[in-house]
Amino acid sequence: MRRDALYFPGLVPTKFSAVEGFLRTNDYARSRISVADEFLGYSLVDSYATAEVYDWEVYESGFMVLTLALADWALDHVEIDPVLCGGQSFGAIIAAVFSGVLSYEDGLALVRGSAAVEVDYFDGLAEPLGCLFFYRLNSRQVDELVAEFREVGRDVEVSIYLDDSVHAVSGPLADLDPLAERIRESGGHPFYTMNRSEHCASVRPLRDRLETEVYDQVRWRVPRWPMLSDVSGRLLSDPEEIKRDLLDGWVTPVHWSTVVDGMRTARADHAHIVGPRNMFSRITNNALPTDVITPKTVADRERAREVSPP
């Protein structure tokens, strides 16, 4: 019997045009959208079509709807027998909804409430914070650059070790600009700066506000499948422990190796990565066989079914 890991990547900026067909025509997507529209009080697809990545409520809700619909489709059309469900960064929230830790409505409430608190927190800071994403440097080089900047008083922290090539560093925007230049000088390629920090100790006040103002206001349940922590790599089934783990993700750097090691410890022998892009598949594919479930996966499967003889 195959032992599958069902995994949801973090929020990756994706052009609406790349997912519009799936959102507007797929029955699984339309079912998820109908509930979201009623809960949010507006047309999520129409808002998502014009949203910027910094329109956090719309963008995160749209990403959640899209990803959950892909997972719904996969359970009906792909041979999957999950022994665990997990996600990286925002993907962990989606995993909590899909595994039943949060109801769909509570997941949408969590997104809406968290977005409001995050905007209030970051807008209220005296010094703007950000998170710089880049690739083509290995983890040792990244740690050395961060140490170099911290030695001269620049408060930067590594937020993400996605693999030994893709990383992210959080800190004041005034410190990230010169860091980006040093990254280029070292042979790296900065490609995206987000207007908030995440997965670092400096946002502890935000993590604590989210706990009391948002996470304590929704109901947490026992999951359908154990949740794989991207903080510790452990399998979690206690609702309160899962809640704390998701909160602690705000102040703990992401190490993709922690996730892969957790899958191995759980004796998963196949990974299914669910989301709009397939960039994460190359990482787990080095450790265990990996399939991706994207809008293209759905379109290809449906096209093949149309041309197959009866």
Side-chain angles (χ1 to χ4, degrees):
M1 179 182 297
R2 202 167 76 180
R3 298 173 57 85
D4 295 311
L6 191 61
Y7 206 78
F8 299 90
L11 195 155
V12 178
T14 303
K15 290 183 178 180
F16 181 75
S17 59
V19 299
E20 181 177 10
F22 177 80
L23 287 173
R24 294 196 186 277
T25 65
N26 181 270
D27 288 342
Y28 294 90
R30 297 200 304 197
S31 176
R32 288 286 185 178
I33 289 166
S34 175
V35 175
D37 285 354
E38 182 174 353
F39 180 88
L40 296 171
Y42 55 81
S43 170
L44 179 57
V45 171
D46 290 346
S47 299
Y48 194 28
T50 59
E52 300 290 337
V53 68
Y54 295 148
D55 296 329
W56 292 116
E57 177 184 305
V58 171
Y59 199 85
E60 290 183 349
S61 297
F63 188 84
M64 175 180 283
V65 164
L66 167 67
T67 308
L68 288 173
L70 287 169
D72 293 338
W73 176 89
L75 283 190
D76 286 346
H77 294 86
V78 180
E79 185 180 349
I80 301 178
D81 186 17
V83 295
L84 64 89
C85 182
Q88 181 261 320
S89 191
F90 184 69
I93 301 296
I94 298 173
V97 174
F98 196 68
S99 65
V101 178
L102 294 171
S103 70
Y104 184 31
E105 290 81 0
D106 275 348
L108 290 166
L110 192 80
V111 168
R112 168 171 276 179
S114 296
V117 171
E118 290 161 31
V119 169
D120 181 69
Y121 173 79
F122 287 112
D123 285 353
L125 295 174
E127 186 172 25
L129 296 177
C131 188
L132 171 66
F133 292 78
F134 55 96
Y135 61 92
R136 290 184 184 159
L137 296 182
N138 62 42
S139 298
R140 177 187 58 78
Q141 291 173 296
V142 173
D143 288 340
E144 289 174 354
L145 280 178
V146 167
E148 172 189 317
F149 271 60
R150 291 184 67 84
E151 284 175 4
V152 296
R154 295 187 181 273
D155 190 20
V156 296
E157 305 171 69
V158 182
S159 290
I160 296 174
Y161 298 87
L162 196 54
D163 60 6
D164 202 36
S165 176
V166 180
H167 299 82
V169 172
S170 287
L173 289 176
D175 293 336
L176 294 181
D177 287 340
L179 177 62
E181 185 57 35
R182 285 288 290 117
I183 288 169
R184 293 187 188 94
E185 292 172 359
S186 302
H189 180 77
F191 65 90
Y192 175 54
T193 300
M194 188 167 60
N195 71 341
R196 60 180 182 177
S197 293
E198 59 180 1
H199 310 306
C200 60
S202 62
V203 295
R204 166 66 63 173
L206 172 59
R207 178 251 181 250
D208 294 342
R209 278 191 61 183
L210 288 170
E211 180 173 14
T212 58
E213 297 178 35
V214 183
Y215 283 59
D216 284 349
Q217 308 308 314
V218 297
R219 181 185 171 193
W220 299 82
R221 303 166 174 83
V222 175
R224 179 180 179 185
W225 308 287
M227 286 273 293
L228 175 62
S229 167
D230 67 336
V231 173
S232 66
R234 296 171 52 229
L235 291 183
L236 307 176
S237 295
D238 178 75
E240 281 297 314
E241 193 171 16
I242 293 170
K243 179 180 77 171
R244 290 193 302 271
D245 187 77
L246 295 176
L247 285 163
D248 289 345
W250 271 99
V251 294
T252 307
V254 169
H255 289 261
W256 190 257
S257 60
T258 299
V259 172
V260 173
D261 289 346
M263 291 181 182
R264 285 172 169 159
T265 300
R267 294 187 294 113
D269 53 30
H270 201 103
H272 298 270
I273 312 296
V274 185
R277 304 263 298 272
N278 63 7
M279 62 173 286
F280 286 80
S281 64
R282 64 183 175 83
I283 306 174
T284 52
N285 205 38
N286 293 327
L288 66 163
T290 300
D291 293 329
V292 296
I293 298 165
T294 69
K296 185 178 184 302
T297 306
V298 177
D300 289 348
R301 180 69 69 92
E302 293 180 347
R303 193 177 302 113
R305 187 172 58 189
E306 290 173 359
V307 301
S308 297

